[in-house]
Amino acid sequence: MLRKRQPIFAANWKMYKTIQETRAFFASFFGALSEYADRKTVIAPPFTALAAAREEIGAFKRQDVSIAAQNVFFEEQGAYTGEVSLPMLQELGVEFVILGHSERRHIFGETDMGVAFKVRAVCEAGLCPILCVGERLSEREAERTNMVIGIQLAAALAALPENALHGLIIAYEPVWAIGTGKVASAEQIAQVHAFIRSWFAVHFNSALAENIRILYGGSVKLNNAAQIMGIADVDGLLVGGASLDAGEFVKIVSCEI
Ligand code: PEP
């Protein structure tokens, strides 16, 4: 059955893989992955490996696979030591940018306001933001999950008109499930994804809410990918650790949807 929203399988490599390791990954990945028309694969290597990833995808002529950056700064250029801009990413053929990942929020102190500037800049540049939202364990235990996510969405999308949100993707990533081996239950995922979709219906409109893709991330592995993809309102997966192994990620991308 064809889904109404094309699923996305996104790989967040974090600070793993050199250029050489990136090339080796793609050789095995493309050696085993069928070219699917009904799903999209997005790989987010570190900045230093983006060009190599782009070259490999081009060499294998794969339209079904795109590259993403794991972050960006919102200014086009300037005295911002250590930062990378959107024109720099566009020059490398980057189409997606992960924003507001919990590691950026909690390790590097990224704020909701900083994320909002970035979402705006990415949308204006015509790239697709993958905006990460999610609650900490203490927030879930205090039954504040919806509130936290509502605040993150409102802050990140503040002052953006609906027509700027074309291409926006949301990734629901409970902080307590990232890299921990703990996966949110099917009920928890279904509830939060439905909440996010209804948030867009209330704050924008029902057409946008129906079209927006909402990915789940947090300890996705081969043994749970298909089950999570079967949950209502799940339009794809954002995979960290399990995406580093080409063989395992091929199987995740190839899961029954
Ligand atoms: C992530 O980094 O976005 C993530 C979900 O990591 P993991 O799959 O390793 O939990």
Side-chain angles (χ1 to χ4, degrees), residues 22-61:
T22 297
R23 292 197 190 282
F25 172 94
F26 279 106
S28 7
F29 188 62
F30 287 138
L33 184 72
S34 314
E35 196 157 346
Y36 291 102
D38 66 347
R39 63 197 74 184
K40 175 107 192 140
T41 302
V42 175
I43 311 262
F47 288 127
T48 49
L50 280 168
R54 179 76 235 140
E55 269 173 36
E56 294 298 324
I57 293 167
F60 284 91
K61 298 190 173 46

PDB file of all heavy atoms in Angstrom, residues 22-61:
ATOM      1  N   THR A  22      33.731   6.771   5.253  1.00  0.00           N
ATOM      2  CA  THR A  22      32.488   7.145   4.563  1.00  0.00           C
ATOM      3  C   THR A  22      32.426   6.453   3.195  1.00  0.00           C
ATOM      4  O   THR A  22      31.401   5.890   2.809  1.00  0.00           O
ATOM      5  CB  THR A  22      32.436   8.685   4.397  1.00  0.00           C
ATOM      6  OG1 THR A  22      32.413   9.250   5.703  1.00  0.00           O
ATOM      7  CG2 THR A  22      31.223   9.128   3.603  1.00  0.00           C
ATOM      8  N   ARG A  23      33.542   6.488   2.475  1.00  0.00           N
ATOM      9  CA  ARG A  23      33.568   5.843   1.145  1.00  0.00           C
ATOM     10  C   ARG A  23      33.338   4.335   1.285  1.00  0.00           C
ATOM     11  O   ARG A  23      32.600   3.736   0.518  1.00  0.00           O
ATOM     12  CB  ARG A  23      34.892   6.120   0.445  1.00  0.00           C
ATOM     13  CG  ARG A  23      35.057   7.596   0.051  1.00  0.00           C
ATOM     14  CD  ARG A  23      36.165   7.765  -0.990  1.00  0.00           C
ATOM     15  NE  ARG A  23      36.497   9.158  -1.215  1.00  0.00           N
ATOM     16  CZ  ARG A  23      35.783  10.012  -1.964  1.00  0.00           C
ATOM     17  NH1 ARG A  23      34.685   9.601  -2.561  1.00  0.00           N
ATOM     18  NH2 ARG A  23      36.169  11.271  -2.112  1.00  0.00           N
ATOM     19  N   ALA A  24      33.935   3.739   2.301  1.00  0.00           N
ATOM     20  CA  ALA A  24      33.768   2.288   2.510  1.00  0.00           C
ATOM     21  C   ALA A  24      32.314   1.969   2.855  1.00  0.00           C
ATOM     22  O   ALA A  24      31.742   0.984   2.376  1.00  0.00           O
ATOM     23  CB  ALA A  24      34.696   1.822   3.627  1.00  0.00           C
ATOM     24  N   PHE A  25      31.686   2.831   3.662  1.00  0.00           N
ATOM     25  CA  PHE A  25      30.279   2.630   4.019  1.00  0.00           C
ATOM     26  C   PHE A  25      29.430   2.592   2.741  1.00  0.00           C
ATOM     27  O   PHE A  25      28.622   1.682   2.546  1.00  0.00           O
ATOM     28  CB  PHE A  25      29.788   3.755   4.935  1.00  0.00           C
ATOM     29  CG  PHE A  25      28.299   3.727   5.199  1.00  0.00           C
ATOM     30  CD1 PHE A  25      27.794   3.086   6.317  1.00  0.00           C
ATOM     31  CD2 PHE A  25      27.398   4.325   4.317  1.00  0.00           C
ATOM     32  CE1 PHE A  25      26.417   3.038   6.555  1.00  0.00           C
ATOM     33  CE2 PHE A  25      26.024   4.287   4.541  1.00  0.00           C
ATOM     34  CZ  PHE A  25      25.538   3.642   5.670  1.00  0.00           C
ATOM     35  N   PHE A  26      29.609   3.599   1.875  1.00  0.00           N
ATOM     36  CA  PHE A  26      28.742   3.674   0.690  1.00  0.00           C
ATOM     37  C   PHE A  26      28.979   2.497  -0.258  1.00  0.00           C
ATOM     38  O   PHE A  26      28.039   2.032  -0.896  1.00  0.00           O
ATOM     39  CB  PHE A  26      28.902   5.021  -0.025  1.00  0.00           C
ATOM     40  CG  PHE A  26      28.092   6.106   0.637  1.00  0.00           C
ATOM     41  CD1 PHE A  26      28.704   7.086   1.398  1.00  0.00           C
ATOM     42  CD2 PHE A  26      26.703   6.118   0.533  1.00  0.00           C
ATOM     43  CE1 PHE A  26      27.948   8.083   2.032  1.00  0.00           C
ATOM     44  CE2 PHE A  26      25.943   7.103   1.173  1.00  0.00           C
ATOM     45  CZ  PHE A  26      26.569   8.088   1.912  1.00  0.00           C
ATOM     46  N   ALA A  27      30.225   2.031  -0.338  1.00  0.00           N
ATOM     47  CA  ALA A  27      30.483   0.881  -1.211  1.00  0.00           C
ATOM     48  C   ALA A  27      29.648  -0.306  -0.738  1.00  0.00           C
ATOM     49  O   ALA A  27      28.984  -0.972  -1.542  1.00  0.00           O
ATOM     50  CB  ALA A  27      31.968   0.552  -1.206  1.00  0.00           C
ATOM     51  N   SER A  28      29.622  -0.591   0.570  1.00  0.00           N
ATOM     52  CA  SER A  28      28.801  -1.729   1.014  1.00  0.00           C
ATOM     53  C   SER A  28      27.319  -1.393   1.008  1.00  0.00           C
ATOM     54  O   SER A  28      26.489  -2.244   0.672  1.00  0.00           O
ATOM     55  CB  SER A  28      29.177  -2.281   2.380  1.00  0.00           C
ATOM     56  OG  SER A  28      30.107  -1.539   3.023  1.00  0.00           O
ATOM     57  N   PHE A  29      26.985  -0.152   1.349  1.00  0.00           N
ATOM     58  CA  PHE A  29      25.564   0.229   1.413  1.00  0.00           C
ATOM     59  C   PHE A  29      24.910   0.078   0.028  1.00  0.00           C
ATOM     60  O   PHE A  29      23.895  -0.592  -0.125  1.00  0.00           O
ATOM     61  CB  PHE A  29      25.498   1.673   1.913  1.00  0.00           C
ATOM     62  CG  PHE A  29      24.125   2.181   2.232  1.00  0.00           C
ATOM     63  CD1 PHE A  29      23.355   1.598   3.216  1.00  0.00           C
ATOM     64  CD2 PHE A  29      23.594   3.274   1.545  1.00  0.00           C
ATOM     65  CE1 PHE A  29      22.091   2.083   3.530  1.00  0.00           C
ATOM     66  CE2 PHE A  29      22.339   3.771   1.856  1.00  0.00           C
ATOM     67  CZ  PHE A  29      21.584   3.174   2.845  1.00  0.00           C
ATOM     68  N   PHE A  30      25.523   0.693  -0.973  1.00  0.00           N
ATOM     69  CA  PHE A  30      24.929   0.622  -2.308  1.00  0.00           C
ATOM     70  C   PHE A  30      25.069  -0.764  -2.931  1.00  0.00           C
ATOM     71  O   PHE A  30      24.296  -1.134  -3.808  1.00  0.00           O
ATOM     72  CB  PHE A  30      25.532   1.693  -3.222  1.00  0.00           C
ATOM     73  CG  PHE A  30      25.049   3.088  -2.882  1.00  0.00           C
ATOM     74  CD1 PHE A  30      25.935   4.163  -2.875  1.00  0.00           C
ATOM     75  CD2 PHE A  30      23.722   3.335  -2.583  1.00  0.00           C
ATOM     76  CE1 PHE A  30      25.501   5.452  -2.558  1.00  0.00           C
ATOM     77  CE2 PHE A  30      23.275   4.616  -2.268  1.00  0.00           C
ATOM     78  CZ  PHE A  30      24.172   5.672  -2.258  1.00  0.00           C
ATOM     79  N   GLY A  31      26.045  -1.531  -2.446  1.00  0.00           N
ATOM     80  CA  GLY A  31      26.179  -2.897  -2.938  1.00  0.00           C
ATOM     81  C   GLY A  31      24.988  -3.751  -2.533  1.00  0.00           C
ATOM     82  O   GLY A  31      24.675  -4.756  -3.166  1.00  0.00           O
ATOM     83  N   ALA A  32      24.286  -3.340  -1.463  1.00  0.00           N
ATOM     84  CA  ALA A  32      23.217  -4.193  -0.924  1.00  0.00           C
ATOM     85  C   ALA A  32      21.833  -3.551  -0.971  1.00  0.00           C
ATOM     86  O   ALA A  32      20.827  -4.244  -0.807  1.00  0.00           O
ATOM     87  CB  ALA A  32      23.552  -4.545   0.522  1.00  0.00           C
ATOM     88  N   LEU A  33      21.758  -2.246  -1.178  1.00  0.00           N
ATOM     89  CA  LEU A  33      20.452  -1.571  -1.063  1.00  0.00           C
ATOM     90  C   LEU A  33      19.745  -1.466  -2.414  1.00  0.00           C
ATOM     91  O   LEU A  33      20.272  -0.871  -3.351  1.00  0.00           O
ATOM     92  CB  LEU A  33      20.653  -0.150  -0.499  1.00  0.00           C
ATOM     93  CG  LEU A  33      19.370   0.647  -0.231  1.00  0.00           C
ATOM     94  CD1 LEU A  33      18.609   0.102   0.982  1.00  0.00           C
ATOM     95  CD2 LEU A  33      19.688   2.132  -0.014  1.00  0.00           C
ATOM     96  N   SER A  34      18.535  -1.991  -2.498  1.00  0.00           N
ATOM     97  CA  SER A  34      17.732  -1.825  -3.717  1.00  0.00           C
ATOM     98  C   SER A  34      17.329  -0.368  -3.839  1.00  0.00           C
ATOM     99  O   SER A  34      17.241   0.341  -2.841  1.00  0.00           O
ATOM    100  CB  SER A  34      16.438  -2.639  -3.643  1.00  0.00           C
ATOM    101  OG  SER A  34      16.701  -3.916  -3.198  1.00  0.00           O
ATOM    102  N   GLU A  35      17.060   0.062  -5.075  1.00  0.00           N
ATOM    103  CA  GLU A  35      16.646   1.450  -5.273  1.00  0.00           C
ATOM    104  C   GLU A  35      15.135   1.511  -5.100  1.00  0.00           C
ATOM    105  O   GLU A  35      14.386   1.019  -5.927  1.00  0.00           O
ATOM    106  CB  GLU A  35      17.074   1.945  -6.663  1.00  0.00           C
ATOM    107  CG  GLU A  35      17.013   3.442  -6.764  1.00  0.00           C
ATOM    108  CD  GLU A  35      17.925   4.028  -7.854  1.00  0.00           C
ATOM    109  OE1 GLU A  35      18.797   3.305  -8.366  1.00  0.00           O
ATOM    110  OE2 GLU A  35      17.722   5.207  -8.166  1.00  0.00           O
ATOM    111  N   TYR A  36      14.689   2.109  -4.006  1.00  0.00           N
ATOM    112  CA  TYR A  36      13.260   2.156  -3.687  1.00  0.00           C
ATOM    113  C   TYR A  36      12.646   3.452  -4.185  1.00  0.00           C
ATOM    114  O   TYR A  36      13.219   4.521  -3.965  1.00  0.00           O
ATOM    115  CB  TYR A  36      13.039   2.095  -2.175  1.00  0.00           C
ATOM    116  CG  TYR A  36      13.373   0.766  -1.550  1.00  0.00           C
ATOM    117  CD1 TYR A  36      14.556   0.579  -0.848  1.00  0.00           C
ATOM    118  CD2 TYR A  36      12.477  -0.301  -1.649  1.00  0.00           C
ATOM    119  CE1 TYR A  36      14.861  -0.633  -0.264  1.00  0.00           C
ATOM    120  CE2 TYR A  36      12.772  -1.520  -1.059  1.00  0.00           C
ATOM    121  CZ  TYR A  36      13.963  -1.679  -0.374  1.00  0.00           C
ATOM    122  OH  TYR A  36      14.261  -2.883   0.203  1.00  0.00           O
ATOM    123  N   ALA A  37      11.467   3.360  -4.790  1.00  0.00           N
ATOM    124  CA  ALA A  37      10.772   4.586  -5.209  1.00  0.00           C
ATOM    125  C   ALA A  37       9.855   5.066  -4.093  1.00  0.00           C
ATOM    126  O   ALA A  37       9.439   6.224  -4.074  1.00  0.00           O
ATOM    127  CB  ALA A  37       9.957   4.309  -6.456  1.00  0.00           C
ATOM    128  N   ASP A  38       9.539   4.180  -3.147  1.00  0.00           N
ATOM    129  CA  ASP A  38       8.529   4.529  -2.142  1.00  0.00           C
ATOM    130  C   ASP A  38       9.123   5.048  -0.840  1.00  0.00           C
ATOM    131  O   ASP A  38       8.421   5.201   0.142  1.00  0.00           O
ATOM    132  CB  ASP A  38       7.635   3.305  -1.858  1.00  0.00           C
ATOM    133  CG  ASP A  38       8.409   2.175  -1.184  1.00  0.00           C
ATOM    134  OD1 ASP A  38       9.661   2.234  -1.162  1.00  0.00           O
ATOM    135  OD2 ASP A  38       7.773   1.244  -0.678  1.00  0.00           O
ATOM    136  N   ARG A  39      10.420   5.298  -0.799  1.00  0.00           N
ATOM    137  CA  ARG A  39      11.037   5.816   0.433  1.00  0.00           C
ATOM    138  C   ARG A  39      12.307   6.577   0.065  1.00  0.00           C
ATOM    139  O   ARG A  39      12.887   6.381  -0.987  1.00  0.00           O
ATOM    140  CB  ARG A  39      11.355   4.671   1.393  1.00  0.00           C
ATOM    141  CG  ARG A  39      12.356   3.687   0.882  1.00  0.00           C
ATOM    142  CD  ARG A  39      12.327   2.385   1.658  1.00  0.00           C
ATOM    143  NE  ARG A  39      11.159   1.574   1.322  1.00  0.00           N
ATOM    144  CZ  ARG A  39      10.826   0.427   1.895  1.00  0.00           C
ATOM    145  NH1 ARG A  39      11.558  -0.055   2.857  1.00  0.00           N
ATOM    146  NH2 ARG A  39       9.764  -0.242   1.528  1.00  0.00           N
ATOM    147  N   LYS A  40      12.707   7.439   0.990  1.00  0.00           N
ATOM    148  CA  LYS A  40      13.901   8.258   0.770  1.00  0.00           C
ATOM    149  C   LYS A  40      14.898   7.960   1.876  1.00  0.00           C
ATOM    150  O   LYS A  40      14.509   7.806   3.041  1.00  0.00           O
ATOM    151  CB  LYS A  40      13.466   9.723   0.832  1.00  0.00           C
ATOM    152  CG  LYS A  40      14.565  10.723   0.739  1.00  0.00           C
ATOM    153  CD  LYS A  40      14.520  11.377  -0.627  1.00  0.00           C
ATOM    154  CE  LYS A  40      15.749  12.175  -0.910  1.00  0.00           C
ATOM    155  NZ  LYS A  40      16.234  12.057  -2.259  1.00  0.00           N
ATOM    156  N   THR A  41      16.169   7.884   1.508  1.00  0.00           N
ATOM    157  CA  THR A  41      17.215   7.713   2.512  1.00  0.00           C
ATOM    158  C   THR A  41      18.023   9.001   2.594  1.00  0.00           C
ATOM    159  O   THR A  41      18.362   9.592   1.567  1.00  0.00           O
ATOM    160  CB  THR A  41      18.152   6.542   2.125  1.00  0.00           C
ATOM    161  OG1 THR A  41      17.367   5.368   1.994  1.00  0.00           O
ATOM    162  CG2 THR A  41      19.217   6.313   3.187  1.00  0.00           C
ATOM    163  N   VAL A  42      18.305   9.432   3.798  1.00  0.00           N
ATOM    164  CA  VAL A  42      19.064  10.669   4.011  1.00  0.00           C
ATOM    165  C   VAL A  42      20.214  10.340   4.960  1.00  0.00           C
ATOM    166  O   VAL A  42      19.989   9.782   6.034  1.00  0.00           O
ATOM    167  CB  VAL A  42      18.158  11.751   4.651  1.00  0.00           C
ATOM    168  CG1 VAL A  42      18.962  12.994   4.977  1.00  0.00           C
ATOM    169  CG2 VAL A  42      16.999  12.107   3.718  1.00  0.00           C
ATOM    170  N   ILE A  43      21.436  10.656   4.542  1.00  0.00           N
ATOM    171  CA  ILE A  43      22.594  10.348   5.388  1.00  0.00           C
ATOM    172  C   ILE A  43      23.244  11.649   5.845  1.00  0.00           C
ATOM    173  O   ILE A  43      23.552  12.515   5.023  1.00  0.00           O
ATOM    174  CB  ILE A  43      23.653   9.523   4.615  1.00  0.00           C
ATOM    175  CG1 ILE A  43      23.007   8.327   3.906  1.00  0.00           C
ATOM    176  CG2 ILE A  43      24.818   9.134   5.535  1.00  0.00           C
ATOM    177  CD1 ILE A  43      23.082   7.014   4.575  1.00  0.00           C
ATOM    178  N   ALA A  44      23.447  11.761   7.149  1.00  0.00           N
ATOM    179  CA  ALA A  44      24.082  12.956   7.713  1.00  0.00           C
ATOM    180  C   ALA A  44      25.455  12.593   8.285  1.00  0.00           C
ATOM    181  O   ALA A  44      25.591  12.239   9.459  1.00  0.00           O
ATOM    182  CB  ALA A  44      23.201  13.556   8.808  1.00  0.00           C
ATOM    183  N   PRO A  45      26.491  12.689   7.447  1.00  0.00           N
ATOM    184  CA  PRO A  45      27.847  12.454   7.955  1.00  0.00           C
ATOM    185  C   PRO A  45      28.371  13.710   8.644  1.00  0.00           C
ATOM    186  O   PRO A  45      27.717  14.756   8.587  1.00  0.00           O
ATOM    187  CB  PRO A  45      28.667  12.188   6.672  1.00  0.00           C
ATOM    188  CG  PRO A  45      27.830  12.640   5.532  1.00  0.00           C
ATOM    189  CD  PRO A  45      26.479  13.074   6.029  1.00  0.00           C
ATOM    190  N   PRO A  46      29.546  13.641   9.254  1.00  0.00           N
ATOM    191  CA  PRO A  46      30.143  14.888   9.769  1.00  0.00           C
ATOM    192  C   PRO A  46      30.442  15.827   8.593  1.00  0.00           C
ATOM    193  O   PRO A  46      30.564  15.375   7.456  1.00  0.00           O
ATOM    194  CB  PRO A  46      31.455  14.420  10.416  1.00  0.00           C
ATOM    195  CG  PRO A  46      31.406  12.944  10.464  1.00  0.00           C
ATOM    196  CD  PRO A  46      30.392  12.465   9.494  1.00  0.00           C
ATOM    197  N   PHE A  47      30.599  17.114   8.872  1.00  0.00           N
ATOM    198  CA  PHE A  47      30.871  18.090   7.801  1.00  0.00           C
ATOM    199  C   PHE A  47      32.018  17.645   6.894  1.00  0.00           C
ATOM    200  O   PHE A  47      31.954  17.803   5.681  1.00  0.00           O
ATOM    201  CB  PHE A  47      31.255  19.451   8.398  1.00  0.00           C
ATOM    202  CG  PHE A  47      30.094  20.183   9.019  1.00  0.00           C
ATOM    203  CD1 PHE A  47      30.182  20.647  10.327  1.00  0.00           C
ATOM    204  CD2 PHE A  47      28.937  20.445   8.298  1.00  0.00           C
ATOM    205  CE1 PHE A  47      29.125  21.337  10.908  1.00  0.00           C
ATOM    206  CE2 PHE A  47      27.876  21.137   8.878  1.00  0.00           C
ATOM    207  CZ  PHE A  47      27.967  21.581  10.182  1.00  0.00           C
ATOM    208  N   THR A  48      33.082  17.105   7.526  1.00  0.00           N
ATOM    209  CA  THR A  48      34.296  16.787   6.758  1.00  0.00           C
ATOM    210  C   THR A  48      34.072  15.675   5.728  1.00  0.00           C
ATOM    211  O   THR A  48      34.868  15.529   4.807  1.00  0.00           O
ATOM    212  CB  THR A  48      35.408  16.317   7.722  1.00  0.00           C
ATOM    213  OG1 THR A  48      34.829  15.330   8.581  1.00  0.00           O
ATOM    214  CG2 THR A  48      35.948  17.477   8.541  1.00  0.00           C
ATOM    215  N   ALA A  49      33.013  14.894   5.878  1.00  0.00           N
ATOM    216  CA  ALA A  49      32.786  13.778   4.963  1.00  0.00           C
ATOM    217  C   ALA A  49      31.619  14.051   4.001  1.00  0.00           C
ATOM    218  O   ALA A  49      31.259  13.183   3.203  1.00  0.00           O
ATOM    219  CB  ALA A  49      32.536  12.497   5.747  1.00  0.00           C
ATOM    220  N   LEU A  50      31.035  15.241   4.063  1.00  0.00           N
ATOM    221  CA  LEU A  50      29.881  15.529   3.198  1.00  0.00           C
ATOM    222  C   LEU A  50      30.250  15.438   1.715  1.00  0.00           C
ATOM    223  O   LEU A  50      29.506  14.864   0.910  1.00  0.00           O
ATOM    224  CB  LEU A  50      29.317  16.930   3.499  1.00  0.00           C
ATOM    225  CG  LEU A  50      28.410  17.038   4.727  1.00  0.00           C
ATOM    226  CD1 LEU A  50      28.167  18.501   5.097  1.00  0.00           C
ATOM    227  CD2 LEU A  50      27.076  16.334   4.473  1.00  0.00           C
ATOM    228  N   ALA A  51      31.390  16.014   1.346  1.00  0.00           N
ATOM    229  CA  ALA A  51      31.767  16.031  -0.073  1.00  0.00           C
ATOM    230  C   ALA A  51      31.990  14.601  -0.573  1.00  0.00           C
ATOM    231  O   ALA A  51      31.536  14.243  -1.676  1.00  0.00           O
ATOM    232  CB  ALA A  51      33.011  16.883  -0.283  1.00  0.00           C
ATOM    233  N   ALA A  52      32.641  13.787   0.241  1.00  0.00           N
ATOM    234  CA  ALA A  52      32.881  12.393  -0.164  1.00  0.00           C
ATOM    235  C   ALA A  52      31.559  11.643  -0.294  1.00  0.00           C
ATOM    236  O   ALA A  52      31.352  10.866  -1.232  1.00  0.00           O
ATOM    237  CB  ALA A  52      33.778  11.707   0.860  1.00  0.00           C
ATOM    238  N   ALA A  53      30.635  11.896   0.634  1.00  0.00           N
ATOM    239  CA  ALA A  53      29.327  11.227   0.581  1.00  0.00           C
ATOM    240  C   ALA A  53      28.593  11.616  -0.702  1.00  0.00           C
ATOM    241  O   ALA A  53      28.025  10.778  -1.403  1.00  0.00           O
ATOM    242  CB  ALA A  53      28.502  11.607   1.807  1.00  0.00           C
ATOM    243  N   ARG A  54      28.630  12.895  -1.017  1.00  0.00           N
ATOM    244  CA  ARG A  54      27.975  13.401  -2.239  1.00  0.00           C
ATOM    245  C   ARG A  54      28.572  12.720  -3.477  1.00  0.00           C
ATOM    246  O   ARG A  54      27.866  12.292  -4.378  1.00  0.00           O
ATOM    247  CB  ARG A  54      28.179  14.922  -2.282  1.00  0.00           C
ATOM    248  CG  ARG A  54      27.639  15.658  -3.434  1.00  0.00           C
ATOM    249  CD  ARG A  54      26.129  15.840  -3.363  1.00  0.00           C
ATOM    250  NE  ARG A  54      25.512  15.313  -4.565  1.00  0.00           N
ATOM    251  CZ  ARG A  54      24.389  14.626  -4.613  1.00  0.00           C
ATOM    252  NH1 ARG A  54      23.714  14.354  -3.516  1.00  0.00           N
ATOM    253  NH2 ARG A  54      23.905  14.194  -5.732  1.00  0.00           N
ATOM    254  N   GLU A  55      29.895  12.624  -3.500  1.00  0.00           N
ATOM    255  CA  GLU A  55      30.577  11.997  -4.647  1.00  0.00           C
ATOM    256  C   GLU A  55      30.168  10.535  -4.790  1.00  0.00           C
ATOM    257  O   GLU A  55      29.921  10.057  -5.895  1.00  0.00           O
ATOM    258  CB  GLU A  55      32.093  12.032  -4.416  1.00  0.00           C
ATOM    259  CG  GLU A  55      32.757  13.267  -4.984  1.00  0.00           C
ATOM    260  CD  GLU A  55      34.232  13.310  -4.563  1.00  0.00           C
ATOM    261  OE1 GLU A  55      34.890  12.238  -4.470  1.00  0.00           O
ATOM    262  OE2 GLU A  55      34.677  14.419  -4.292  1.00  0.00           O
ATOM    263  N   GLU A  56      30.107   9.834  -3.676  1.00  0.00           N
ATOM    264  CA  GLU A  56      29.745   8.408  -3.733  1.00  0.00           C
ATOM    265  C   GLU A  56      28.317   8.222  -4.244  1.00  0.00           C
ATOM    266  O   GLU A  56      28.056   7.356  -5.064  1.00  0.00           O
ATOM    267  CB  GLU A  56      29.885   7.753  -2.343  1.00  0.00           C
ATOM    268  CG  GLU A  56      31.295   7.682  -1.815  1.00  0.00           C
ATOM    269  CD  GLU A  56      32.231   6.840  -2.686  1.00  0.00           C
ATOM    270  OE1 GLU A  56      31.783   5.827  -3.253  1.00  0.00           O
ATOM    271  OE2 GLU A  56      33.410   7.220  -2.806  1.00  0.00           O
ATOM    272  N   ILE A  57      27.411   9.075  -3.753  1.00  0.00           N
ATOM    273  CA  ILE A  57      26.008   8.968  -4.189  1.00  0.00           C
ATOM    274  C   ILE A  57      25.927   9.252  -5.694  1.00  0.00           C
ATOM    275  O   ILE A  57      25.230   8.570  -6.439  1.00  0.00           O
ATOM    276  CB  ILE A  57      25.118   9.945  -3.370  1.00  0.00           C
ATOM    277  CG1 ILE A  57      25.063   9.487  -1.911  1.00  0.00           C
ATOM    278  CG2 ILE A  57      23.714  10.035  -3.964  1.00  0.00           C
ATOM    279  CD1 ILE A  57      24.475  10.517  -0.943  1.00  0.00           C
ATOM    280  N   GLY A  58      26.690  10.244  -6.144  1.00  0.00           N
ATOM    281  CA  GLY A  58      26.731  10.579  -7.579  1.00  0.00           C
ATOM    282  C   GLY A  58      27.325   9.441  -8.391  1.00  0.00           C
ATOM    283  O   GLY A  58      26.797   9.064  -9.438  1.00  0.00           O
ATOM    284  N   ALA A  59      28.400   8.861  -7.888  1.00  0.00           N
ATOM    285  CA  ALA A  59      29.073   7.791  -8.624  1.00  0.00           C
ATOM    286  C   ALA A  59      28.151   6.580  -8.778  1.00  0.00           C
ATOM    287  O   ALA A  59      28.166   5.893  -9.791  1.00  0.00           O
ATOM    288  CB  ALA A  59      30.352   7.396  -7.907  1.00  0.00           C
ATOM    289  N   PHE A  60      27.317   6.332  -7.761  1.00  0.00           N
ATOM    290  CA  PHE A  60      26.393   5.193  -7.828  1.00  0.00           C
ATOM    291  C   PHE A  60      25.054   5.581  -8.472  1.00  0.00           C
ATOM    292  O   PHE A  60      24.150   4.765  -8.559  1.00  0.00           O
ATOM    293  CB  PHE A  60      26.154   4.603  -6.430  1.00  0.00           C
ATOM    294  CG  PHE A  60      27.292   3.762  -5.922  1.00  0.00           C
ATOM    295  CD1 PHE A  60      28.322   4.326  -5.180  1.00  0.00           C
ATOM    296  CD2 PHE A  60      27.347   2.398  -6.204  1.00  0.00           C
ATOM    297  CE1 PHE A  60      29.379   3.555  -4.700  1.00  0.00           C
ATOM    298  CE2 PHE A  60      28.399   1.611  -5.735  1.00  0.00           C
ATOM    299  CZ  PHE A  60      29.428   2.193  -4.986  1.00  0.00           C
ATOM    300  N   LYS A  61      24.945   6.885  -8.871  1.00  0.00           N
ATOM    301  CA  LYS A  61      23.737   7.398  -9.538  1.00  0.00           C
ATOM    302  C   LYS A  61      22.465   7.070  -8.750  1.00  0.00           C
ATOM    303  O   LYS A  61      21.506   6.527  -9.294  1.00  0.00           O
ATOM    304  CB  LYS A  61      23.635   6.836 -10.965  1.00  0.00           C
ATOM    305  CG  LYS A  61      24.781   7.234 -11.879  1.00  0.00           C
ATOM    306  CD  LYS A  61      24.471   6.843 -13.313  1.00  0.00           C
ATOM    307  CE  LYS A  61      25.451   7.336 -14.334  1.00  0.00           C
ATOM    308  NZ  LYS A  61      26.866   7.193 -14.074  1.00  0.00           N
TER     309      LYS A  61
END
